[in-house]
Amino acid sequence: MKNRALFCAIALLPALFVSTLASSQEEQMLKVATFNVSMEATNYKALGMKPSDQVLQYVLSTGEHSQVKNIAEIIQRVNPDILMLNEFDYIADKRKGVDAFVKNYLNVSQGGLEPVDYLYTYVATVNTGEPTKFDLDNNGKAEGFGGDAYGFGLYPGQYGMALLSKYPIDVDGIRTFQTFKWHHMPHPQVPIIPDESGSTDKGKPWYDVEEWAALRLSSKSHWDVPVKVAGKTVHILAMHPTPPNFDGSEDRNGKRNFDEIRLMADYLSPDKGAYIYDDNGEKVSLSENARFVLVGDFNAADIGDKHREGVIEQLTEHPLVNNDIIPTSAGGAGASGAEFSNRFTAYWGARADYVLPSRFGFDVNDAGVFWPAKTSDLYRLVKDREASSDHRLVWISLSLTDDN
């Protein structure tokens, strides 16, 4: 009997090994997503309120706003492990902001789906709506907000950022780059007003000396948020550069968008990022062989509307970045007859939102854009901006490799 029991135990070893291995592999799977939720677009006029972060606080407290319920349903359907939200107003009291969104919308079944939970969240201040004393938009008035803020916004924190994670966030390891000065970047793209001939060689700088010395590069902020996954560190590199429009021949927003993307591209390696300092004044960049995932609405198309050659390519063609599998959707393909429209992430026809992993430390399993076709019952979630957003949720499924 003892020998028979020993034989049975030995016979079970391969199955136990396979089960343990499968469990280990499953634990190392990671789905990362980004979603510009356009929550600044909630109808404050219908609520009888003025534009401010108080609008979003109210909406998040009720659990009943139709746009936010649809956003929550989309998130529940994709169910990412780590999720970056753009255009989610900064609210200092997380209980009234991002945590209220989790509690009152994501923890509640939407459309009969299983609720999802995110135990770890991160928010921080941004430059949008942060007042300056300057007339940065050169309209003859120093108003402090709007085009005269460090980043365009009607109030501090508008168009903010939030990170949600099912895995622990290494709070002590977070780096932010909200206050990095644009002129501290080597060879920045200085906005110049062209002369009468259209030449910038003898043109006039858009910003005066004092403005240029004070101007911050990031229109919102740049973040490096380390997340602990299966005993390994994954750096979530988040940003939301300014749209490259709403300006003039000086191209101040286009140039800023280019350099905001360049800052993150340079940050990826010590040789390029030696000039970068964080909000603590410390010179920092990623170490070699670091796992990272770039996330956010980058406002830079690799194809489609407003594709500017060489801008997003700073990341998509970076040797450390894996852009091999491009997220696509049936809805994007059906929304436009343009070539490669299945990769669009914004309703106006562009790939503007990105989830880009490092080549080091990951295998890419799958990727997609939540954009159902018009024939799908789920099209109700994305039919217009009021339904959810003018952007689509983008996700990528990864496996962490055993690289050190």
Side-chain angles (χ1 to χ4, degrees):
M1 292 295 292
K2 288 183 180 180
N3 289 338
R4 181 179 179 184
L6 179 62
F7 173 80
C8 291
I10 293 173
L12 286 172
L13 283 177
L16 289 172
F17 175 77
V18 171
S19 175
T20 301
L21 179 61
S23 175
S24 174
Q25 289 177 337
E26 183 177 355
E27 289 175 357
Q28 294 187 20
M29 295 287 288
L30 184 68
K31 182 183 281 189
V32 183
T34 191
F35 196 3
N36 181 328
V37 290
S38 296
M39 284 195 190
E40 94 298 336
T42 51
N43 195 341
Y44 62 85
K45 292 182 179 179
L47 297 171
M49 304 175 73
K50 295 181 179 180
S52 74
D53 62 358
Q54 297 294 321
V55 178
L56 184 58
Q57 287 188 46
Y58 171 76
V59 165
L60 297 180
S61 71
T62 68
E64 296 297 331
H65 194 279
S66 59
Q67 176 199 0
V68 184
K69 285 169 68 72
N70 285 345
I71 288 168
E73 181 175 340
I74 292 169
I75 294 170
Q76 288 178 355
R77 290 188 178 279
V78 177
N79 194 18
D81 299 304
I82 299 173
L83 172 63
M84 179 65 196
L85 301 179
N86 289 125
E87 297 195 10
F88 186 100
D89 287 353
Y90 170 72
I91 299 171
D93 186 346
K94 290 205 302 178
R95 296 171 301 175
K96 298 179 180 179
V98 65
D99 291 349
F101 174 57
V102 173
K103 177 182 177 182
N104 298 327
Y105 287 92
L106 295 180
N107 288 170
V108 177
S109 173
Q110 309 291 344
L113 299 171
E114 285 290 324
V116 296
D117 197 18
Y118 293 93
L119 294 179
Y120 310 96
T121 59
Y122 177 72
V123 296
T125 56
V126 290
N127 284 326
T128 34
E130 190 65 30
T132 75
K133 63 180 181 179
F134 305 113
D135 177 19
L136 296 178
D137 58 9
N138 287 348
N139 69 350
K141 297 177 290 183
E143 299 171 295
F145 60 89
D148 293 334
Y150 280 112
F152 182 87
L154 300 179
Y155 52 88
Q158 189 177 18
Y159 311 109
M161 301 166 25
L163 184 68
L164 287 62
S165 176
K166 296 180 181 179
Y167 292 94
I169 293 173
D170 177 11
V171 177
D172 292 336
I174 293 173
R175 300 168 181 168
T176 62
F177 304 87
Q178 180 186 354
T179 59
F180 179 88
K181 300 293 179 62
W182 192 351
H183 74 93
H184 286 157
M185 170 176 278
H187 310 293
Q189 295 209 359
V190 182
I192 301 292
I193 304 171
D195 62 18
E196 293 181 357
S197 68
S199 172
T200 58
D201 292 340
K202 296 182 180 180
K204 176 184 176 183
W206 179 266
Y207 302 108
D208 66 29
V209 173
E210 188 179 5
E211 290 170 346
W212 182 242
L215 193 59
R216 300 170 182 177
L217 172 59
S218 184
S219 55
K220 285 86 176 176
S221 191
H222 287 61
W223 293 350
D224 175 355
V225 182
V227 178
K228 296 295 185 180
V229 181
K232 298 177 173 65
T233 296
V234 176
H235 292 265
I236 303 300
L237 305 181
M239 62 176 175
H240 185 190
T242 188
N245 42 23
F246 309 111
D247 52 17
S249 57
E250 83 291 342
D251 192 28
R252 68 186 189 278
N253 290 331
K255 293 178 183 298
R256 189 176 189 179
N257 176 275
F258 182 99
D259 279 351
E260 286 193 70
I261 291 170
R262 179 190 157 192
L263 182 75
M264 195 64 91
D266 289 349
Y267 182 72
L268 299 182
S269 55
D271 58 329
K272 294 286 189 180
Y275 67 91
I276 300 173
Y277 57 85
D278 64 14
D279 288 332
N280 292 322
E282 297 180 9
K283 289 288 188 72
V284 290
S285 60
L286 278 187
S287 60
E288 293 184 8
N289 294 333
R291 287 180 180 81
F292 62 81
V293 185
L294 294 147
V295 291
D297 171 6
F298 296 168
N299 274 313
D302 68 343
I303 194 168
D305 188 40
K306 295 182 176 64
H307 175 221
R308 298 168 297 136
E309 188 70 34
V311 181
I312 192 59
E313 287 80 5
Q314 295 177 100
L315 291 175
T316 57
E317 297 182 6
H318 194 291
L320 299 179
V321 174
N322 188 339
N323 186 44
D324 295 345
I325 298 180
I326 297 176
T328 60
S329 71
S336 169
E339 188 178 10
F340 302 117
S341 59
N342 63 339
R343 70 170 64 175
F344 291 167
T345 69
Y347 84 95
W348 61 83
R351 184 189 183 195
D353 309 84
Y354 295 83
V355 184
L356 298 170
S358 57
R359 290 197 176 276
F360 172 84
F362 294 117
D363 288 331
V364 179
N365 303 315
D366 199 4
V369 180
F370 186 89
W371 194 337
K374 289 184 178 181
T375 55
S376 169
D377 292 339
L378 298 180
Y379 183 72
R380 61 182 171 80
L381 296 172
V382 299
K383 64 179 182 178
D384 52 33
R385 184 168 184 165
E386 286 70 32
S388 54
S389 174
D390 52 351
H391 291 254
R392 307 292 177 249
L393 184 149
V394 182
W395 59 270
I396 191 166
S397 177
L398 303 166
S399 295
L400 277 71
T401 62
D402 291 330
D403 305 352
N404 292 324

